[in-house]
Amino acid sequence: MIPKIILGKGDRATRRLIGYLYGPGSANEHTDPHLVASWNGFAPDPGRSPHRNPKQVEEQLAAQLDQPVKMLGDKAPTTTVWHCPVRAAPEDPILTDAQWADVARRIVAAAGIAPEGDEEACRWVAVRHADDHIHIAATLVRQDGRRPRRDHDIRAVQREARKIEADLGLRRLNPGDGTASKRPTSKEHFKAKRQGQDTTTREILRQRVRRAVAAASSEKEFFALLEVTGVDVRPKTGPSGDILGYSVALPGDLNKHGEPVWFSGSTLAGDLSLPKIRHRLTDTGAEPVTAPPTDPWHQATAATERIPHHLTHSSDPIAQGQLVALGGTLDLLPLTAPASARSELERAAALFERATRSRITADLDSARALHRSVQTILHTPAPTRDGAGLAMLLDAALIAVAFAKHWHRKHQHAQQEAAARQTLVHLQTAYTQVAVPVLHDLARRTPGMQTKQRYARHLQQAVPEHADRILQDPAWDALATALANAETAGHNPTTLLDQALGQRTLDDARNPARTLTWRIHRLGQRHAPGPRAQAAMARSTTHRPTTPTHPSAAAPATVQQPAHMRRR
């Protein structure tokens, strides 16, 4: 159940609101509008007065609601109308008028509009014109002339809505922390429907702005990317000429006056205001290259694999910074993916957006490597993009999102936890769509039986606790091909396999052969060491430690995933 508080001002604000509630609606969606409750139980009802002119009854109802306001004359407050639509979830049972009346009384009491038993409280009415919601309209002057005490009414109403859900057996929504992006309004949804769009303009713009932030290295590049993606940009400048903010619009999206509908960055999401974007671009900006460039897919995968370690061992600001970087990665991955997986990745990114924000201030400096490597991937010419690279990165992203879910649960971030859980469903589907063709191609080129038996013997010696699962995994042939390719490139396959096994525990891997295939693929594409180096590495891995030594390897010991949420 979702309540949403809207304040109104102006001499005829009450009359306009009543006219809207009893009117046809912007898309003729209002059916049978009528009162279900009021402050005194017998307020005039324009929807149930068949022998009178409905407009006259609307005037009478508005006048009665406004009476305490008019009594104050010039001392009346500027904001006089409190409007709260309350909507049930689509899967909820249809409530009766009596049930909606009880909901309305509880909401106005929780908000401080009309506390229970207070006969001098504000005047209010609840109007129902659809099965799934009501509108509560109240005037913000009590009948004794005082102002209502409605401190923190938004939070109070949300808390009461959670109690109502439990009492009426409705869908239980997760409590929020005030960091969610603004939801599209009903008018925006109806407008999108009229225009044949599945998504509202607000949501389209939010996605494009987030992608531009993730892809940009500077403010100038951010604005340029927005324009390239078909977004109209209107900077807000101060007297000095400095840019203080910005608004965006979609070409062709016009209001009733034929003017573009502009959205400021902060109304799309709190972290998309220009000051927040500037802070993010500064913290994750370019840094000097001190080492030869590596494959950006490998670099991004390695950075993503470190996220579980940060979520279990680093400070909260660093962990929050990692989640922001992971969200930026998911925002950009659809641009690099095959068409078959693009929609699932876009859905995953849209869902995980909620998991990237909390009350914890993000330390973005620790996420530079992931941010820059994904940007490099974006600028890599399309013909050289490797499906295995995307599969590797998605493999690492899956477990990073699973750990994000546990991190949010630990911090009691209910909405963020739910968003991460939903993200996993779409990310898993996208991973399957990307990885299966690559794995099939590798399996088709699997080496001979003698070579595979040699690799199998080493697996049984190195990881007896996982060997049977690996050898029975459908991806075993693909893993054998990856090992054979690395051996052809000059690597020692047993040494390479030991390195892959030592990177991270396989306890949380549903398909361990897949996991090892991507690790071997990544390790095998590195420059092969010389004979002496290979001998030294072989000696160092002869006695492989039981506990993995990779920095992220200890993470599962701290946060163990339930079986039904494990990868693949």
Side-chain angles (χ1 to χ4, degrees):
M1 181 166 285
I2 303 174
K4 180 181 178 181
I5 295 174
I6 306 165
L7 301 179
K9 61 179 65 176
D11 291 339
R12 291 182 60 79
T14 305
R15 179 65 186 88
R16 288 195 300 271
L17 177 57
I18 294 299
Y20 167 74
L21 296 180
Y22 280 94
S26 57
N28 294 314
E29 72 275 15
H30 295 180
T31 59
D32 186 27
H34 60 280
L35 284 185
V36 295
S38 66
W39 77 95
N40 58 6
F42 49 85
D45 183 358
R48 293 289 187 270
S49 302
H51 303 299
R52 299 180 59 188
N53 185 329
K55 295 298 181 183
Q56 291 180 347
V57 184
E58 289 177 19
E59 290 281 358
Q60 182 185 4
L61 177 58
Q64 290 191 18
L65 286 169
D66 271 339
Q67 186 177 6
V69 178
K70 300 299 183 184
M71 289 178 60
L72 292 183
D74 294 340
K75 296 181 180 180
T78 303
T79 300
T80 58
V81 174
W82 188 89
H83 174 204
C84 182
V86 185
R87 186 178 299 274
E91 63 269 30
D92 284 339
I94 296 177
L95 303 182
T96 65
D97 281 357
Q99 288 174 313
W100 275 120
D102 183 57
V103 169
R105 294 186 190 98
R106 292 177 65 169
I107 291 293
V108 294
I113 296 294
E116 186 176 359
D118 187 348
E119 297 182 357
E120 298 297 322
C122 297
R123 295 186 175 188
W124 61 273
V125 293
V127 179
R128 181 180 188 179
H129 53 215
D131 286 339
D132 65 347
H133 71 280
I134 59 170
H135 290 258
I136 303 172
T139 44
L140 292 174
V141 175
R142 291 167 48 87
Q143 296 181 76
D144 57 11
R146 295 183 293 130
R147 309 283 178 84
R149 296 186 61 179
R150 55 182 191 88
D151 298 337
H152 309 294
D153 56 349
I154 295 176
R155 292 184 184 179
V157 163
Q158 292 291 345
R159 284 196 299 269
E160 188 63 27
R162 304 293 81 79
K163 296 177 183 177
I164 293 171
E165 290 162 359
D167 292 344
L168 296 183
L170 306 178
R171 175 186 172 188
R172 304 287 294 274
L173 298 184
N174 294 308
D177 58 3
T179 61
S181 55
K182 187 175 180 180
R183 295 174 180 270
T185 64
S186 297
K187 290 183 179 179
E188 291 171 13
H189 279 298
F190 286 125
K191 183 177 181 180
K193 187 177 181 180
R194 289 197 307 271
Q195 295 175 343
Q197 299 175 183
D198 295 330
T199 310
T200 65
T201 297
R202 181 188 299 275
E203 292 167 310
I204 293 171
L205 288 170
R206 183 184 297 136
Q207 179 197 60
R208 295 188 185 181
V209 173
R210 283 182 61 84
R211 281 183 178 172
V213 174
S217 299
S218 66
E219 184 178 328
K220 181 179 179 180
E221 187 178 2
F222 163 67
F223 286 122
L225 287 171
L226 282 179
E227 293 178 351
V228 166
T229 56
V231 175
D232 291 336
V233 182
R234 184 176 65 181
K236 177 184 177 182
T237 57
S240 64
D242 294 335
I243 298 178
L244 305 178
Y246 72 100
S247 297
V248 289
L250 281 183
D253 183 45
L254 308 175
N255 60 21
K256 61 182 179 181
H257 304 295
E259 302 167 338
V261 179
W262 294 97
F263 295 83
S264 67
S266 59
T267 61
L268 295 177
D271 56 349
L272 295 182
S273 66
L274 188 57
K276 295 286 183 65
I277 289 174
R278 281 173 172 162
H279 175 69
R280 181 168 168 180
L281 292 176
T282 299
D283 277 2
T284 58
E287 54 187 357
V289 177
T290 57
T294 59
D295 185 317
W297 289 105
H298 295 178
Q299 200 171 32
T301 301
T304 304
E305 285 181 338
R306 289 192 290 270
I307 291 176
H309 172 77
H310 286 298
L311 293 177
T312 51
H313 294 88
S314 298
S315 66
D316 283 349
I318 288 178
Q320 180 65 49
Q322 295 291 316
L323 295 180
V324 172
L326 180 58
T329 299
L330 295 181
D331 286 332
L332 294 180
L333 282 185
L335 303 178
T336 72
S340 60
R342 204 166 294 150
S343 62
E344 290 292 338
L345 285 175
E346 287 176 346
R347 186 61 183 148
L351 286 166
F352 196 72
E353 180 250 3
R354 181 66 189 98
T356 63
R357 289 192 307 277
S358 72
R359 290 290 181 183
I360 299 170
T361 301
D363 177 355
L364 301 172
D365 190 60
S366 65
R368 284 176 180 265
L370 179 56
H371 180 75
R372 300 304 296 172
S373 57
V374 175
Q375 286 183 331
T376 304
I377 288 171
L378 202 62
H379 294 108
T380 302
T384 65
R385 288 179 180 157
D386 185 358
L390 178 57
M392 279 192 305
L393 184 50
L394 289 177
D395 180 73
L398 272 167
I399 195 160
V401 172
F403 272 81
K405 176 174 70 74
H406 288 286
W407 187 82
H408 282 306
R409 178 186 297 171
K410 175 184 174 183
H411 289 75
Q412 298 182 344
H413 299 161
Q415 290 186 0
Q416 292 90 331
E417 179 193 346
R421 182 172 59 250
Q422 293 164 356
T423 300
L424 283 170
V425 176
H426 296 277
L427 202 58
Q428 179 64 64
T429 302
Y431 170 81
T432 301
Q433 292 167 337
V434 171
V436 166
V438 179
L439 291 167
H440 282 173
D441 182 63
L442 288 171
R444 184 175 53 81
R445 297 181 280 117
T446 190
M449 185 59 66
Q450 186 175 358
T451 302
K452 289 175 65 176
Q453 288 176 345
R454 175 160 52 92
Y455 298 153
R457 283 196 298 271
H458 184 72
L459 275 170
Q460 290 165 340
Q461 294 172 359
V463 279
E465 69 276 22
H466 296 297
D468 287 342
R469 283 206 305 144
I470 295 171
L471 296 175
Q472 294 171 12
D473 193 311
W476 161 236
D477 285 346
L479 172 57
T481 302
L483 284 165
N485 290 343
E487 189 171 10
T488 301
H491 290 275
N492 184 318
T494 57
T495 302
L496 207 63
L497 190 55
D498 283 337
Q499 287 181 313
L501 292 167
Q503 281 185 346
R504 182 179 182 79
T505 179
L506 294 175
D507 291 339
D508 61 347
R510 185 176 296 173
N511 298 96
R514 286 188 185 183
T515 301
L516 288 174
T517 298
W518 307 130
R519 294 180 191 176
I520 295 296
H521 180 81
R522 199 167 106 227
L523 292 169
Q525 290 189 1
R526 296 176 180 175
H527 180 69
R532 289 186 179 179
Q534 285 193 16
M537 285 191 295
R539 287 193 298 271
S540 68
T541 57
T542 299
H543 302 288
R544 189 176 60 84
T546 302
T547 303
T549 57
H550 188 269
S552 64
T558 305
V559 184
Q560 189 61 254
Q561 296 181 54
H564 71 283
M565 292 302 295
R566 291 178 185 170
R567 291 181 295 173
R568 299 169 301 286

